Amino acid sequence: MNNSEMKLYKQEVFTGERALFKSDNLAIYDSIFEDGESPLKESKYISLYNSVFRWKYPLWYCDHIELNSCTLFETARAGIWYTDQITVKDTVIEAPKSFRRCSGVNLKNVNFPNAAETLWNCSHVNMENITAKGDYFAMNCSNINADNLTLTGNYSFDGAKNIEIHNSRLLSKDAFWNSENVVVFDSFISGEYLGWNSKNLTFINCTIESLQGLCYIDNLVMKNCKTLATNLAFEYSLCDVEIVNRVDSIKNPIGGVIRAESAGEVIMEPDKVDVDATKIIIGD
């Protein structure tokens, strides 16, 4: 933050629309933003500590923002849009539709209990120790790094690009649809139709449970992965796959190599795919 001529607010209650509109260099402690839309719209270099937002659109068109131990209640909907260089730590964001078209987003120890339509069209996002529940998380985002993300919600990372995820647990139907350049390490992913229509989707040391998952993928890579109750997998996918336990069924991959400890069923239909284009190795 820019400490020159910084103004301090402590234990204040702000009301009314645009209460601190277009502010610059503020440190706000133990304060409440009550009714009134857009209290900090078009502000920059703002640090907030242990403060509360109760109404809509608190941080739009802002730059260089810090939130520490803050709370955005459900009524602070669509709270952070068109804002760049924002750091949020040890905070609860109950409001849906937070973060839209933001860049330079750093999140650490943040809980999103109502994360519907959160992190849309954002870029350069770092997430550490995040819990989120809601559909359509991180749609059309780019350049994301996440470590210890616990996500419950369908259709996550749809259309996302350049994503790296570590040590996470994703319970998400239709995750990573239409995505590109995604690598997931040491994580658990559960959800139907995982990864359809994606390009360059990689799982390393992961456990996956998916009905008819991992299909229609251009360059699917799996290294040292496990599958649970995963069937009709790899249909029309180009594969480089290593599964260290049983896969329930494999259906019509279009090329590459698939290795598995065992397989319940292998379906290769010559009228639909070139059966010689894929090498399937079962067991030793």
Side-chain angles (χ1 to χ4, degrees):
M1 288 294 163
N2 185 353
N3 292 319
S4 62
E5 300 180 2
M6 178 171 282
K7 184 175 181 178
L8 300 180
Y9 287 103
K10 294 185 177 181
Q11 292 185 269
E12 298 282 349
V13 176
F14 299 99
T15 61
E17 187 170 350
R18 299 190 179 190
L20 294 175
F21 177 69
K22 216 173 182 64
S23 291
D24 188 357
N25 281 332
L26 302 184
I28 301 170
Y29 292 83
D30 306 316
S31 295
I32 297 177
F33 291 84
E34 286 281 1
D35 59 301
E37 296 180 3
S38 308
L40 284 164
K41 187 177 181 181
E42 295 190 30
S43 294
K44 59 184 178 179
Y45 295 104
I46 309 296
S47 295
L48 296 121
Y49 303 89
N50 198 36
S51 293
V52 171
F53 291 97
R54 292 190 181 274
W55 206 240
K56 295 181 285 187
Y57 324 139
L59 293 160
W60 277 45
Y61 303 104
C62 294
D63 194 18
H64 288 89
I65 305 296
E66 291 185 4
L67 284 79
N68 298 273
S69 301
C70 291
T71 304
L72 278 72
F73 281 96
E74 194 275 337
T75 46
R77 303 173 65 85
I80 303 168
W81 286 29
Y82 308 102
T83 287
D84 297 336
Q85 307 306 319
I86 179 167
T87 297
V88 182
K89 297 180 179 178
D90 305 315
T91 288
V92 175
I93 300 178
E94 186 187 20
K97 301 184 180 182
S98 293
F99 297 100
R100 188 75 56 94
R101 299 188 183 277
C102 298
S103 179
V105 178
N106 296 285
L107 307 173
K108 184 174 182 180
N109 303 330
V110 179
N111 182 16
F112 294 94
N114 186 8
E117 301 181 28
T118 289
L119 278 171
W120 277 20
N121 297 287
C122 293
S123 63
H124 299 94
V125 179
N126 291 299
M127 293 187 277
E128 183 180 353
N129 302 331
I130 304 302
T131 301
K133 183 177 182 179
D135 293 344
Y136 293 104
F137 186 82
M139 188 171 76
N140 294 329
C141 282
S142 62
N143 302 304
I144 291 182
N145 282 277
D147 189 5
N148 194 24
L149 167 64
T150 300
L151 173 64
T152 305
N154 298 323
Y155 326 117
S156 60
F157 298 99
D158 189 346
K161 295 182 179 180
N162 306 326
I163 312 298
E164 187 171 313
I165 297 173
H166 294 260
N167 307 308
S168 294
R169 181 168 293 266
L170 311 180
L171 311 183
S172 184
K173 175 182 176 180
D174 295 357
F176 302 114
W177 272 48
N178 312 302
S179 65
E180 186 172 346
N181 303 330
V182 174
V183 185
V184 184
F185 298 87
D186 305 302
S187 296
F188 175 80
I189 305 100
S190 176
E192 300 172 6
Y193 317 118
L194 173 65
W196 282 31
N197 310 307
S198 61
K199 182 178 181 180
N200 301 330
L201 179 58
T202 299
F203 299 98
I204 299 174
N205 304 326
C206 290
T207 297
I208 291 170
E209 184 272 317
S210 183
L211 168 65
Q212 207 169 337
L214 306 165
C215 302
Y216 300 94
I217 299 173
D218 181 2
N219 190 31
L220 168 67
V221 177
M222 298 174 67
K223 298 180 180 179
N224 194 40
C225 288
K226 293 181 178 180
T227 60
L228 310 176
T230 294
N231 55 23
L232 302 174
F234 314 122
E235 187 173 22
Y236 303 124
S237 290
L238 181 62
C239 302
D240 181 2
V241 168
E242 178 193 27
I243 297 171
V244 299
N245 65 347
R246 171 191 172 93
V247 59
D248 283 9
S249 63
I250 296 168
K251 183 178 180 181
N252 289 339
I254 61 171
V257 180
I258 297 172
R259 306 168 184 84
E261 182 181 74
S262 63
E265 185 179 23
V266 177
I267 303 166
M268 297 296 291
E269 299 173 300
D271 60 327
K272 295 181 179 178
V273 295
D274 180 357
V275 297
D276 296 323
T278 305
K279 186 174 183 180
I280 299 175
I281 303 168
I282 304 299
D284 296 333

